[in-house]
Amino acid sequence: MEKIIVAIDGYAGTGKSTQAKSLAKHFGCVYVDTGAMYRAVTYFGQLQTTDGSIDIKLLIDSLPQISIYFEHTKNGQQTFLNGENITDLIRQSKVNNKVSDVASVPEIRSFLVDIQRKMGSSKGVVMDGRDIGTIVFPEADYKFFLIASPKIRAQRRYEEQQKAGITETLEEVLTNITARDHQDSTRTFTPLKKAKDAIEIDVSYMSIDDVFNVLIESIVKL
Ligand code: DC
């Protein structure tokens, strides 16, 4: 196993996690889905209120009670929150619609960034998110930034959700993706942006295998 750090950032629905998983397997590294961590905190916040809204102050005060970890099972990597498997629960539209609000809170970001740095401290890691190459691991060995048109990203997310039995329409998925893009890239604290030294790849018309090959070739060349 190599001790390398690969950061894959970019917009929702560009296939970051698919690529990050394959790269982690290829290099025998740990894979960390940081979006799932923001989703887990959002889900926790929604459990604290009766109407599914988020009380940000209460959530910030409760951060020490939150434990998030990943486990490999025969169904792939699963996300756990305080011992509960929340892998499917955090993909629901209820969480989709609030996660960018939660991800814009500096205290929550600092809490998760600390955990993410620890997760990458001992072994090689492939981490995907929005701020991995800029904030979490600015010294990452390899940095990629994936982009694609909003319509193509919405179509991909829609197909994924259909397979998972989630019944949002394509229009709803597109509206949510566009709103999250806007919120994630305009938030004041550590917004989504490409690291200066990241390699940008427009995946709009590329297959999953094509993107993987470009990533591997770039890593070999660097
Ligand atoms: O990748 P995703 O769609 O699961 O991410 C969920 C949300 O979390 C997304 O709207 C942006 C936010 N996020 C973030 O701000 N920073 C990260 N490192 C990962 C995700």
Side-chain angles (χ1 to χ4, degrees):
M1 185 186 70
E2 291 182 57
K3 186 175 174 349
I4 56 165
I5 296 180
V6 182
I8 306 188
D9 291 303
Y11 292 93
T14 46
K16 297 184 300 294
S17 26
T18 305
Q19 297 300 336
K21 269 180 221 159
S22 303
L23 281 183
K25 200 168 169 198
H26 183 87
F27 290 114
C29 294
V30 171
Y31 160 58
V32 177
D33 174 356
T34 62
M37 299 172 80
Y38 286 92
R39 289 171 178 275
V41 173
T42 306
Y43 175 76
F44 182 93
Q46 288 176 324
L47 290 181
Q48 292 184 304
T49 62
T50 44
D51 60 358
S53 63
I54 308 259
D55 177 339
I56 292 289
K57 188 178 175 313
L58 176 65
L59 181 54
I60 292 172
D61 290 343
S62 314
L63 289 174
Q65 299 164 29
I66 295 180
S67 154
I68 299 167
Y69 57 94
F70 299 103
E71 255 179 41
H72 287 281
T73 70
K74 60 177 175 13
N75 297 322
Q77 183 166 296
Q78 306 285 301
T79 310
F80 285 80
L81 168 71
N82 295 340
E84 184 193 0
N85 186 338
I86 53 159
T87 311
D88 295 334
L89 295 169
I90 57 173
R91 300 289 152 191
Q92 293 176 351
S93 50
K94 193 177 148 193
V95 173
N96 287 343
N97 293 336
K98 283 278 179 263
V99 65
S100 285
D101 290 344
V102 169
S104 68
V105 179
E107 291 86 345
I108 294 174
R109 299 200 70 79
S110 304
F111 171 75
L112 290 179
V113 166
D114 278 351
I115 301 175
Q116 289 155 11
R117 288 191 179 134
K118 283 184 193 127
M119 287 174 162
S121 64
S122 56
K123 298 174 182 169
V125 66
V126 182
M127 201 171 275
D128 81 282
R130 305 293 190 286
D131 58 345
I132 311 306
T134 49
I135 304 290
V136 183
F137 291 119
E139 75 294 2
D141 301 287
Y142 307 104
K143 296 183 189 181
F144 298 99
F145 193 81
L146 306 191
I147 61 167
S149 82
K151 276 196 179 156
I152 288 176
R153 292 187 285 123
Q155 181 68 39
R156 286 189 186 163
R157 270 282 149 101
Y158 173 71
E159 285 166 15
E160 271 169 28
Q161 292 194 353
Q162 286 225 311
K163 277 188 206 144
I166 299 170
T167 55
E168 271 189 318
T169 64
L170 180 58
E171 287 67 34
E172 282 166 339
V173 177
L174 180 59
T175 306
N176 177 262
I177 277 197
T178 318
R180 283 203 289 138
D181 283 354
H182 179 72
Q183 212 175 333
D184 295 339
S185 39
T186 56
R187 69 177 172 235
T188 335
F189 190 68
T190 65
L192 162 66
K193 72 167 196 254
K194 177 180 162 302
K196 281 199 195 82
D197 50 349
I199 297 174
E200 182 172 294
I201 306 172
D202 184 343
V203 302
S204 298
Y205 300 102
M206 292 172 77
S207 69
I208 292 175
D209 287 350
D210 289 344
V211 179
F212 183 73
N213 289 334
V214 170
L215 294 174
I216 290 287
E217 276 169 26
S218 312
I219 290 175
V220 171
K221 267 192 223 143
L222 283 172

